[in-house]
Amino acid sequence: MATVELVDVTKIYENDVVAIRNANLKINDKEFVVLVGPSGCGKSTLLRMIAGLEEISSGDLFIDGQRVNDVPPKDRDIAMVFQNYALYPHMNVYDNMAFGLKLRKFPAAEIEKRVREAGEILGISEFLNRKPKALSGGQRQRVAIGRAIVRKPKVFLFDEPLSNLDAKLRVQMRIEINRLHKRLQSTMIYVTHDQVEAMTMGDKIVVLKDGVIQQIDTPMNLYNNPRNLFVAGFIGSPAMNFLQGELISERSLNFRTRGIQISLPPETARALEKTGIKEVILGIRPENIHDVKLTSDRNLSQPIDITIDVVEPIGNEMFLYFRAGDETLCMRTSPDKIYHSGEQIQVALDMDKMYFFNPETEERIA
Amino acid sequence: MSKPRSLSLPGKIGAYTILVLFSLFAIYPVLRVFSLSIRPGNRLLTKSLAIIPENATFHSYYQLFFEEPFLRWMLNSLLVSTIVAIIGVGLATTAGYAFSRYRFPGKNSAMLAIITTQMFPVSMLLLPLFIMLIKLHLYDSYLGLIIAYSATALPFTIWQMKGYYDTIPYSLEEAAMIDGASPVYTFYKIVLPLALPAIAITALFSFMTAWSEYLVAVVLIQDTALFTLPLGLKNYQASMESSWGLYSAGAIIVSLPVVILFMFLSRWLISGLTLGSVKG
């Protein structure tokens, strides 16, 4: 079991492309950490540097307190599950899983025991004699995970392992990997571009964009306290709504954008006045926009008249899209009331759940 | 996974008719040569269309093996071709791998230079080859032939191997690396087994290059004891009188090893061995 620590880790490719810039990250023993971000954000590069498949241009990487920058992958005591599984096609499932143990000169009886055990944990015992091509996608994924767990490594690395599976299987495997983490009690680092996977699996989530770590936090903290515009927009589905507008003082501080004016609560106003910024971006999550007729127990803003553009019934909830200012906003409602497109209603924002961002730095200011 | 389409009865009949026609088209000339080889005497021209002629005899074959140095030439050809195939497989598998996986200065120019050599017709290379081999004292020797043939076959086979390696996902090698395999071990245990179809083609191509080559051989080899099969065959087609019986019997025998080799390797010539390893 092990800790992983990155200190000022930077990766610059030969063509001067910076893939990772000054990454600092501390992963505790037994922690499940998810690296998440849009494609090209450097999350896979970061994982591959931990694996030893990519060189580290500068900075230090420690596994279990030991600097491993120059240690080859095989001596880092890590195991990796690849996005495309990377099973050896000419070997059967048993040999695929036993390959690493054989190379490490484990006694045959021990190899047999571990492979059978992993087969049972993952429910692939009956396929041990099959070649990978005779397996379904989900089964191949299990073999790939099995190949990692027989080694009992210090750290497990997962590189988008579920992205080739269909939606239903993905949910199932997500739960199984979570269960596996509980059972094996080892450090796991998991890369995904899917924020739902990140939220549901991680003890801790690292959000990356353009090679820079944006925020490291627990799932709920990321959701409730995003540090900047990117994190706010990336975490949550449907995404947070953003309205660009200005702050004006009339008796109290007001946020104004085309067609909408909201007088802000004193606490928020104080925080915003302190920054001295006039142009801001207001962020509000879909569930924090309410139909005025149905909600009264919240600290709501003044009502806004809107015309519903599109209605998306999901079943357990409903998404309404409407125009406000220059933006299309989304609100989440309960399915108890049926709305129709073209219907005119009054909505209001929950003033305790509003986020304000500086449009230039994109940092959160209130 | 797609299964072969099953045809309706008329479709099957149509397909087999076409296949049979084309097979006949391909086989008939070979049959004519065979019938020539078992004709008594030395008759090339005849009005008969029979494949098995009257008074058929294997005398030409007997002559070839017991009265002529044909067996000797055959062994020469076999030796030269086998060595060329071994050199071809050894060098093309490793060079192709380097070109596919490693980045090094001059890689692209080297790839280009290799393929450029293929642009020159053999007849144009004959003189420089001749001069070089004389200076190296390799004229009229197996070694000279082997070097010439290997040099001719390698550009194609290196490109071919490189192209095949490119289709093998690199993540397999990374997985092996993490599993604890050295680069050499990974190459032998993971990459080469997956590249078998390409290796089979490389071996076949190198062998064939040497086996049926005539132009270079006729320039480089003078000693009849060192003759390869194509030279030996040509020997029977003299300006005054051609021994058509021996010639055609020889032609049949020359083509046999290639057919056998092809049948042996054909199980490796099916592609798709990497199916199922990765999904992408």
Side-chain angles (χ1 to χ4, degrees):
Chain A
M1 305 301 118
T3 60
V4 176
E5 192 174 0
L6 286 81
V7 179
D8 278 331
V9 168
T10 295
K11 172 75 190 179
I12 303 171
Y13 283 110
E14 279 161 53
N15 48 7
D16 288 336
V17 171
V18 181
I20 290 290
R21 195 187 295 273
N22 293 333
N24 285 290
L25 174 63
K26 193 169 180 355
I27 297 168
N28 299 321
D29 189 21
K30 298 175 190 170
E31 205 166 27
F32 196 117
V33 171
V34 178
L35 309 180
V36 69
S39 54
C41 71
K43 53 191 189 298
S44 282
T45 307
L46 197 59
L47 190 79
R48 291 167 58 82
M49 282 196 281
I50 297 172
L53 297 174
E54 298 276 357
E55 267 177 59
I56 296 172
S57 307
S58 69
D60 299 304
L61 170 68
F62 299 92
I63 294 179
D64 242 359
Q66 188 203 349
R67 187 175 179 278
V68 293
N69 283 40
D70 306 314
V71 177
K74 65 185 169 85
D75 299 325
R76 293 189 184 193
D77 203 4
I78 45 139
M80 184 155 165
V81 177
F82 291 81
Q83 176 174 7
N84 59 12
Y85 320 141
L87 301 178
Y88 311 126
H90 53 304
M91 300 182 192
N92 65 22
V93 170
Y94 185 97
D95 289 333
N96 260 284
M97 293 205 275
F99 187 73
L101 298 176
K102 281 182 190 159
L103 278 170
R104 278 157 220 268
K105 307 264 185 304
F106 275 72
E110 174 70 13
I111 296 177
E112 169 105 20
K113 183 175 153 261
R114 287 199 188 185
V115 171
R116 303 251 171 244
E117 197 179 85
E120 261 164 51
I121 293 174
L122 295 162
I124 47 174
S125 300
E126 57 205 288
F127 307 126
L128 291 181
N129 290 321
R130 286 207 197 160
K131 293 268 176 72
K133 73 172 162 208
L135 301 177
S136 70
Q139 289 161 345
R140 285 178 206 170
Q141 186 58 71
R142 281 163 211 265
V143 177
I145 294 173
R147 191 169 61 182
I149 65 179
V150 292
R151 293 245 323 274
K152 302 192 175 163
K154 280 183 185 166
V155 184
F156 283 90
L157 306 175
F158 294 89
D159 189 4
E160 307 216 24
L162 307 185
S163 58
N164 284 333
L165 302 178
D166 62 54
K168 207 169 163 185
L169 206 51
R170 199 150 53 202
V171 174
Q172 191 188 335
M173 287 304 291
R174 195 166 83 197
I175 294 166
E176 281 191 35
I177 293 177
N178 257 335
R179 200 176 287 149
L180 204 61
H181 177 237
K182 301 261 164 353
R183 179 177 180 143
L184 300 174
Q185 290 286 310
S186 48
T187 312
M188 293 188 176
I189 307 176
Y190 189 103
V191 162
T192 180
H193 62 266
D194 180 348
Q195 52 103 9
V196 177
E197 246 170 57
M199 293 289 282
T200 50
M201 300 178 85
D203 296 324
K204 191 153 91 182
I205 298 177
V206 180
V207 183
L208 283 130
K209 183 199 167 202
D210 299 337
V212 178
I213 293 180
Q214 305 289 314
Q215 189 169 354
I216 304 172
D217 226 321
T218 62
M220 285 324 285
N221 267 343
L222 272 185
Y223 192 78
N224 292 325
N225 298 305
R227 233 174 62 189
N228 59 33
L229 197 66
F230 176 77
V231 177
F234 190 75
I235 302 291
S237 172
M240 185 185 277
N241 299 295
F242 296 113
L243 282 167
Q244 184 138 20
E246 52 182 353
L247 297 173
I248 48 166
S249 296
E250 296 175 353
R251 278 170 297 176
S252 66
L253 194 67
N254 280 249
F255 172 83
R256 190 169 70 183
T257 182
R258 224 169 54 139
I260 299 172
Q261 180 156 341
I262 298 162
S263 102
L264 303 172
E267 240 173 85
T268 316
R270 265 197 298 281
L272 285 173
E273 274 163 348
K274 229 184 278 172
T275 63
I277 296 169
K278 288 291 162 224
E279 295 279 321
V280 295
I281 292 173
L282 166 78
I284 183 98
R285 293 205 182 273
E287 62 269 31
N288 297 324
I289 304 178
H290 300 277
D291 183 339
V292 175
K293 275 193 192 144
L294 300 180
T295 320
S296 55
D297 55 338
R298 287 171 196 276
N299 184 13
L300 294 181
S301 68
Q302 296 99 312
I304 306 163
D305 292 309
I306 59 133
T307 306
I308 299 171
D309 199 7
V310 175
V311 179
E312 280 185 352
I314 304 296
N316 59 340
E317 58 190 1
M318 198 182 271
F319 300 129
L320 308 181
Y321 294 87
F322 59 88
R323 303 279 303 170
D326 297 327
E327 306 290 334
T328 295
L329 303 192
C330 171
M331 66 182 276
R332 190 194 303 258
T333 66
S334 102
D336 301 338
K337 179 165 184 212
I338 305 294
Y339 294 92
H340 302 283
S341 91
E343 197 176 332
Q344 296 195 330
I345 57 168
Q346 280 194 318
V347 298
L349 314 186
D350 187 336
M351 306 240 273
D352 298 330
K353 298 285 170 83
M354 292 196 293
Y355 302 88
F356 289 91
F357 303 92
N358 179 337
E360 269 155 41
T361 62
E362 302 196 344
E363 294 294 308
R364 183 169 164 209
I365 46 180
Chain B
M1 215 172 283
S2 66
K3 286 191 177 139
R5 223 155 28 104
S6 57
L7 289 169
S8 60
L9 189 63
K12 264 184 198 160
I13 293 171
Y16 278 101
T17 313
I18 292 171
L19 287 174
V20 165
L21 276 177
F22 274 94
S23 304
L24 284 179
F25 192 70
I27 291 170
Y28 186 73
V30 181
L31 283 181
R32 291 307 294 177
V33 174
F34 176 69
S35 88
L36 206 54
S37 73
I38 53 175
R39 258 178 224 157
N42 189 23
R43 294 197 325 249
L44 171 65
L45 302 169
T46 169
K47 283 181 192 161
S48 159
L49 279 177
I51 297 294
I52 310 281
E54 278 174 57
N55 310 322
T57 165
F58 282 98
H59 183 67
S60 294
Y61 291 90
Y62 179 85
Q63 248 187 313
L64 265 189
F65 283 111
F66 299 104
E67 293 165 17
E68 296 284 330
F70 189 79
L71 203 59
R72 166 85 209 212
W73 299 334
M74 194 158 176
L75 289 177
N76 288 348
S77 260
L78 206 59
L79 181 78
V80 170
S81 304
T82 308
I83 295 177
V84 169
I86 291 170
I87 292 177
V89 168
L91 290 183
T93 50
T94 42
Y97 185 75
F99 277 123
S100 169
R101 294 297 196 240
Y102 296 108
R103 304 176 61 180
F104 49 89
K107 172 177 162 176
N108 289 335
S109 352
M111 287 293 289
L112 209 64
I114 286 176
I115 205 71
T116 310
T117 61
Q118 296 293 76
M119 284 167 40
F120 302 105
V122 180
S123 46
M124 198 175 135
L125 295 174
L126 276 179
L127 190 61
L129 201 62
F130 185 69
I131 295 170
M132 262 195 296
L133 291 177
I134 283 195
K135 285 195 172 161
L136 289 168
H137 303 290
L138 293 175
Y139 177 70
D140 215 5
S141 74
Y142 290 144
L143 191 57
L145 261 192
I146 289 168
I147 290 175
Y149 289 156
S150 299
T152 334
L154 270 173
F156 172 78
T157 51
I158 289 175
W159 267 79
Q160 198 259 124
M161 286 308 302
K162 186 233 178 237
Y164 198 84
Y165 287 134
D166 286 347
T167 67
I168 299 176
Y170 187 56
S171 56
L172 289 178
E173 289 160 60
E174 292 182 331
M177 214 189 287
I178 289 177
D179 267 343
S182 68
V184 175
Y185 191 85
T186 307
F187 181 68
Y188 280 108
K189 289 288 174 178
I190 306 292
V191 179
L192 278 192
L194 296 178
L196 274 177
I199 294 173
I201 292 173
T202 294
L204 195 64
F205 183 85
S206 306
F207 189 89
M208 297 269 290
T209 302
W211 185 258
S212 56
E213 208 286 333
Y214 174 73
L215 255 183
V216 175
V218 81
V219 172
L220 290 185
I221 302 295
Q222 292 295 309
D223 187 349
T224 26
L226 295 181
F227 269 18
T228 54
L229 279 177
L231 289 185
L233 273 187
K234 187 75 173 73
N235 204 36
Y236 294 125
Q237 194 192 356
S239 52
M240 290 301 172
E241 197 211 354
S242 295
S243 324
W244 291 116
L246 289 175
Y247 189 81
S248 48
I252 292 290
I253 292 170
V254 166
S255 54
L256 278 181
V258 180
V259 172
I260 292 168
L261 194 65
F262 191 86
M263 288 195 322
F264 174 71
L265 289 178
S266 64
R267 57 181 289 225
W268 299 114
L269 292 176
I270 39 143
S271 201
L273 207 65
T274 54
L275 258 184
S277 69
V278 298
K279 189 176 175 184

